[in-house]
Amino acid sequence: MQVSSLNEVKIYSLSCGKSLPEWLSDRKKRALQKKDVDVRRRIELIQDFEMPTVCTTIKVSKDGQYILATGTYKPRVRCYDTYQLSLKFERCLDSEVVTFETLSDDYSKIVFLHNDRYIEFHSQSGFYYKTRIPKFGRDFSYHYPSCDLYFVGASSEVYRLNLEQGRYLNPLQTDAAENNVCDINSVHGLFATGTVEGRVECWDPRVRSRVGLLDCALSSVTADSEVNSLPTISALKFNGALTMAVGTSTGQVLLYDLRSDKPLLVKDHQYGLPIKSVHFQDSLDLILSADSRIIKMWNKNSGKIFTSLEPEHDINDVCLYPNSGMLLTANETPKMGIYYIPVLGPAPRWCSFLDNLTEELEENPESTVYDDYKFVTKKDLENLGLTHLIGSPFLRAYMHGFFMDIRLYHKVKLMVNPFAYEEYRKDKIRQKIEETRAQRVQLKKLPKVNKELALKLIEEEEEKQKSTWKKKVKSLPNILTDDRFKVMFENPDFQVDEESEEFRLLNPLVSKISEKRKKKLRLLEQQEPPDKEEEEEPEGRPSDAESSESSDDEKGWVEEVRKQRRLLQQEERAKRQERLREDQQTVLRPQFYEIKAGEEFRSFSDSAAKQKLMNKTLEDRLKLEAKNGTLNVSDTTVGSKQLTFTLKRSEQQKKQQEAEKMHRQERKALRRPAGHLKSRRKRGRPFP
């Protein structure tokens, strides 16, 4: 719950905080509430009090039990039961709702005005009947004595639909081109409509004739207000028998007494936005006027601001809960706003616990930082010698330090350092002297690296300053004073190589310009005394000691580029001849390379053949492997292919295997004679 205060009026926002998705299960919602502190501390006054995308209008039934709201997308109406603090029902509609009205005390009779000229009637069970008006409607009002619905819109006529007879009656013909809003006085039944011309026409339903005309557009223009267009009527509201409030499209609210054509009071919102709605709060004689940005509450007798409320999102509609301090808003956001202002009245009966909650919050207010306190750290207290005050009422612990009275701080600081004013005076004098020195003509101090580049940048800066009186030039940051490019003038690795090919081709006039700059650089180095960082220009030396030269002709840049290219080609040709001459004089000597253990050198052709094999495609390599016998392709039972690779053996491995084979044969031959003699003895044969 968020608390804001303006003019010592506390406003509690009950709809702020995170909202949980509808598709989350109860178990996941409980787990999320345990983990997230913001979700655990939020107050969900009414369950699922939101729209899928945007809420357009919101109203409370006459008995105060149901809250009805319309929104998008898809167009729908939702009814919330305050006794159950949950959603009662939801009905989807064919088109968006401009406005609606409850004809009964509960939700059993509702009339919707759609943006496609349809009027839809709903009963307690759901949709009941639909009809259409000739022009697009913008607002309507219900006259209870005659059971007539008055519709105003993009027409000069006011359409009347009698619900008792079930038919349209003769319309009321106004003098306006179009009508925006309308309202009926609940005391004497006077019907009023606001036009696009900034007038309010009042009609008597009994005789169906106009009885009054108010020019609000002319009255809304005051000495303090700035009006750029014709004010049209955007809001209209009656209070009692004689009071009427009118809101204009330019952000003014006019308060009228029906017995006079002059407004009693004109209140400007100072935003220039159309007034969305106007409500009366009788207990404190307040008027609540709202535009798309702010809700202002002000005294209807004096016009003095009482408090204001500025939500995060644009406002579409405002509804004041009857006989309470609760305020409901329809915003350009899925979540609808619920605000509780205890000063306006008590909490409604269905949420009476809000009074106890706000009383507890007022008993334990949050700590506030005032402007007449000075924040000091522990180190500052040690410098001031006030460490013995830690824990006393003079120091108030806050974060990593303490708050102390600003008067005590200044008094102690003056006692600890009585010469602070003298030091301050000396610093000011030194600053003044430095400012006067900066106005004198000073020598240019060039960096150690890229001196020519720095001189070029200085010249460009001087030219820009000279040309400022002719035309406005957009000021760009200077590279010399920018810390990001400081290394470029300090590190020798960033020295520009003027002999490189890229530099000479990209800068065709660099030779002529560099000569002029080098000459100027030599003059500056002669003027600059050694072993001093910064000196003023010596007296007696004229400031225009530099030789003035005519500017180079920029038309010859093509010849300069060609000349540079020919020079580069000649230098490259000379380098190639020099390398060729060195190669001819060089005596070739044999070089020996050591082969690692386990490797065998065959010839240089093997590496070339291997590289040639790697350049072939995978299909060619597989065919070659299959031809050499190192690859075997076979079909499996499931219809797939199976590849079997046989690794190649090196010559050393082959020799080792042959040696092992010969060794086994020799051992076998050595064992064979003994066995042969034994077998001949057994058979009784003589030895050969």
Side-chain angles (χ1 to χ4, degrees):
M1 184 170 59
Q2 185 178 2
V3 184
S4 60
S5 178
L6 180 64
N7 293 341
E8 298 182 357
V9 178
K10 290 191 176 182
I11 302 173
Y12 298 89
S13 178
L14 306 178
S15 58
C16 66
K18 297 181 179 180
S19 59
L20 299 178
E22 297 179 358
W23 43 266
L24 280 182
S25 61
D26 295 339
R27 183 178 181 181
K28 290 185 177 180
K29 287 182 180 180
R30 289 193 297 269
L32 189 60
Q33 289 176 356
K34 294 179 180 178
K35 296 179 182 178
D36 200 334
V37 179
D38 296 335
V39 175
R40 186 167 62 250
R41 290 182 178 179
R42 71 191 179 102
I43 296 178
E44 192 175 8
L45 191 62
I46 300 176
Q47 187 178 2
D48 299 332
F49 195 66
E50 58 185 12
M51 283 288 171
T53 306
V54 173
C55 181
T56 55
T57 55
I58 185 169
K59 294 182 185 297
V60 180
S61 62
K62 294 179 178 60
D63 58 1
Q65 183 178 353
Y66 302 100
I67 300 175
L68 293 97
T70 60
T72 57
Y73 179 81
K74 298 178 180 180
R76 68 191 65 203
V77 57
R78 287 184 174 180
C79 179
Y80 297 90
D81 191 350
T82 56
Y83 292 174
Q84 302 296 328
L85 298 179
S86 61
L87 182 66
K88 179 74 173 179
F89 63 85
E90 179 184 12
R91 298 172 187 171
C92 289
L93 307 172
D94 296 335
S95 58
E96 295 184 11
V97 177
V98 178
T99 183
F100 71 95
E101 189 70 40
T102 56
L103 305 183
S104 60
D105 293 340
D106 53 4
Y107 66 90
S108 58
K109 295 179 183 179
I110 312 174
V111 183
F112 297 97
L113 175 62
H114 295 274
N115 60 355
D116 56 354
R117 296 194 291 137
Y118 275 103
I119 303 166
E120 195 168 327
F121 296 88
H122 282 229
S123 63
Q124 190 171 5
S125 59
F127 171 77
Y128 181 74
Y129 184 72
K130 179 186 289 188
T131 185
R132 207 171 189 183
I133 57 177
K135 299 291 183 178
F136 290 96
R138 297 175 182 174
D139 196 7
F140 73 93
S141 297
Y142 181 62
H143 188 250
Y144 282 92
S146 61
C147 298
D148 289 342
L149 283 172
Y150 289 80
F151 296 94
V152 297
S155 174
S156 61
E157 296 179 341
V158 179
Y159 304 107
R160 296 190 301 154
L161 176 60
N162 187 271
L163 301 184
E164 184 179 8
Q165 302 176 17
R167 65 186 182 93
Y168 282 100
L169 304 178
N170 293 331
L172 304 179
Q173 183 65 42
T174 63
D175 295 339
E178 295 178 357
N179 296 279
N180 291 333
V181 292
C182 64
D183 193 20
I184 294 179
N185 195 304
S186 59
V187 178
H188 47 67
L190 184 67
F191 172 75
T193 174
T195 66
V196 294
E197 289 84 1
R199 297 188 180 94
V200 175
E201 296 188 11
C202 299
W203 293 72
D204 189 353
R206 299 171 296 181
V207 296
R208 298 186 299 277
S209 62
R210 191 176 67 186
V211 295
L213 180 65
L214 294 175
D215 192 352
C216 301
L218 185 60
S219 301
S220 64
V221 179
T222 59
D224 300 333
S225 62
E226 295 182 1
V227 179
N228 299 323
S229 61
L230 179 65
T232 62
I233 307 302
S234 59
L236 191 64
K237 188 70 174 179
F238 281 106
N239 182 41
L242 301 175
T243 308
M244 180 181 65
V246 180
T248 64
S249 60
T250 53
Q252 290 87 21
V253 180
L254 294 85
L255 188 63
Y256 280 94
D257 190 318
L258 295 180
R259 296 169 292 185
S260 174
D261 59 349
K262 302 296 182 182
L264 301 175
L265 187 66
V266 179
K267 185 68 177 178
D268 195 348
H269 270 221
Q270 304 294 336
Y271 282 106
L273 300 174
I275 303 298
K276 295 281 188 178
S277 64
V278 180
H279 295 274
F280 288 88
Q281 213 279 341
D282 297 328
S283 60
L284 298 177
D285 292 337
L286 298 178
I287 295 179
L288 282 72
S289 56
D291 56 21
S292 60
R293 185 178 297 181
I294 192 171
I295 303 173
K296 288 192 174 183
M297 307 176 194
W298 44 280
N299 190 282
K300 68 178 182 179
N301 298 320
S302 62
K304 184 179 179 181
I305 192 71
F306 179 72
T307 187
S308 62
L309 174 62
E310 192 169 358
E312 297 180 0
H313 306 277
D314 290 346
I315 303 170
N316 290 329
D317 193 14
V318 177
C319 177
L320 182 63
Y321 198 91
N323 303 321
S324 72
M326 181 169 289
L327 198 66
L328 307 174
T329 61
N331 307 323
E332 286 286 331
T333 182
K335 187 176 291 186
M336 292 175 280
I338 305 177
Y339 300 93
Y340 177 52
I341 308 173
V343 180
L344 297 182
R349 185 176 58 180
W350 49 272
C351 58
S352 57
F353 58 88
L354 289 178
D355 291 329
N356 300 330
L357 185 62
T358 53
E359 288 177 1
E360 292 178 1
L361 292 176
E362 290 178 358
E363 290 176 359
N364 301 320
E366 296 181 356
S367 58
T368 308
V369 181
Y370 300 95
D371 294 335
D372 54 351
Y373 279 80
K374 174 70 176 178
F375 180 79
V376 292
T377 60
K378 193 172 183 179
K379 187 176 181 180
D380 297 336
L381 293 177
E382 292 177 356
N383 297 333
L384 296 174
L386 298 177
T387 53
H388 62 282
L389 294 180
I390 297 177
S392 64
F394 296 100
L395 294 180
R396 185 177 181 181
Y398 184 77
M399 295 179 66
H400 62 285
F402 305 90
F403 274 109
M404 65 181 301
D405 193 282
I406 191 69
R407 295 170 295 180
L408 177 62
Y409 174 78
H410 287 313
K411 188 180 294 185
V412 174
K413 190 175 181 181
L414 185 62
M415 294 174 61
V416 172
N417 190 4
F419 302 102
Y421 177 73
E422 294 294 333
E423 295 178 359
Y424 171 76
R425 184 171 174 273
K426 290 180 181 179
D427 292 339
K428 282 294 182 182
I429 294 173
R430 184 165 53 252
Q431 291 178 5
K432 290 290 184 181
I433 294 174
E434 291 177 356
E435 290 177 359
T436 55
R437 286 178 179 176
Q439 296 175 358
R440 302 178 186 176
V441 179
Q442 297 181 357
L443 291 177
K444 299 169 185 172
K445 178 65 177 179
L446 296 177
K448 299 179 181 179
V449 183
N450 291 327
K451 291 186 177 182
E452 296 184 7
L453 177 60
L455 185 59
K456 175 184 175 183
L457 295 174
I458 293 173
E459 290 178 355
E460 291 178 354
E461 189 70 22
E462 291 176 354
E463 291 177 0
K464 287 182 182 179
Q465 293 177 358
K466 291 178 182 179
S467 62
T468 51
W469 66 276
K470 295 182 180 180
K471 57 181 181 179
K472 292 184 179 180
V473 182
K474 186 178 180 181
S475 60
L476 297 175
N478 193 359
I479 298 179
L480 292 172
T481 58
D482 199 337
D483 295 338
R484 297 175 297 175
F485 304 96
K486 184 171 62 176
V487 186
M488 191 170 65
F489 301 99
E490 296 178 355
N491 194 345
D493 296 337
F494 290 92
Q495 179 66 42
V496 178
D497 187 9
E498 298 183 0
E499 300 298 329
S500 62
E501 179 181 355
E502 295 81 3
F503 182 83
R504 292 168 66 179
L505 289 178
L506 293 175
N507 299 272
L509 299 177
V510 69
S511 57
K512 296 182 180 179
I513 299 176
S514 60
E515 289 177 1
K516 177 183 175 183
R517 193 170 289 115
K518 286 178 181 178
K519 191 178 294 184
K520 190 173 182 179
L521 184 62
R522 285 194 297 269
L523 291 173
L524 290 174
E525 289 178 352
Q526 291 175 4
Q527 295 176 2
E528 183 179 359
D531 301 333
K532 288 187 179 181
E533 294 183 355
E534 189 174 2
E535 283 289 341
E536 299 179 358
E537 184 179 6
E539 297 181 359
R541 185 183 296 273
S543 61
D544 56 346
E546 301 175 359
S547 60
S548 61
E549 298 180 358
S550 61
S551 62
D552 298 323
D553 188 11
E554 296 182 357
K555 296 182 180 179
W557 66 273
V558 178
E559 291 78 4
E560 187 68 26
V561 171
R562 292 176 181 173
K563 181 180 177 181
Q564 292 291 336
R565 192 175 294 277
R566 286 195 297 269
L567 289 175
L568 289 172
Q569 291 176 356
Q570 292 176 4
E571 292 175 0
E572 186 66 24
R573 196 179 301 111
K575 289 180 181 179
R576 286 200 300 267
Q577 292 178 0
E578 184 68 24
R579 286 197 298 268
L580 182 61
R581 194 180 300 110
E582 291 178 357
D583 294 341
Q584 291 176 356
Q585 295 176 0
T586 303
V587 180
L588 297 178
R589 297 180 181 179
Q591 295 181 356
F592 299 94
Y593 298 93
E594 182 180 359
I595 301 175
K596 294 182 180 180
E599 294 184 357
E600 181 180 1
F601 177 76
R602 296 181 181 177
S603 62
F604 291 103
S605 60
D606 292 343
S607 60
K610 189 175 182 181
Q611 184 65 27
K612 186 176 180 181
L613 180 62
M614 293 301 296
N615 293 334
K616 292 184 179 181
T617 61
L618 178 61
E619 182 181 3
D620 297 338
R621 292 202 300 269
L622 292 177
K623 289 181 180 179
L624 185 61
E625 294 288 341
K627 186 177 179 181
N628 296 335
T630 57
L631 174 66
N632 183 21
V633 183
S634 60
D635 297 332
T636 61
T637 57
V638 295
S640 59
K641 296 288 185 179
Q642 181 177 357
L643 300 178
T644 305
F645 293 91
T646 304
L647 299 178
K648 291 184 178 180
R649 297 174 181 175
S650 61
E651 294 294 335
Q652 186 176 1
Q653 291 177 350
K654 290 181 180 179
K655 289 181 180 180
Q656 186 176 359
Q657 288 180 358
E658 290 178 359
E660 291 177 357
K661 186 177 180 180
M662 292 177 62
H663 181 67
R664 285 195 298 270
Q665 290 178 358
E666 289 177 358
R667 288 174 59 86
K668 189 176 181 180
L670 290 174
R671 290 195 301 267
R672 185 176 180 181
H676 181 66
L677 294 175
K678 188 176 180 181
S679 62
R680 293 182 69 91
R681 280 197 202 98
K682 288 181 179 180
R683 289 195 294 268
R685 296 179 182 180
F687 294 101

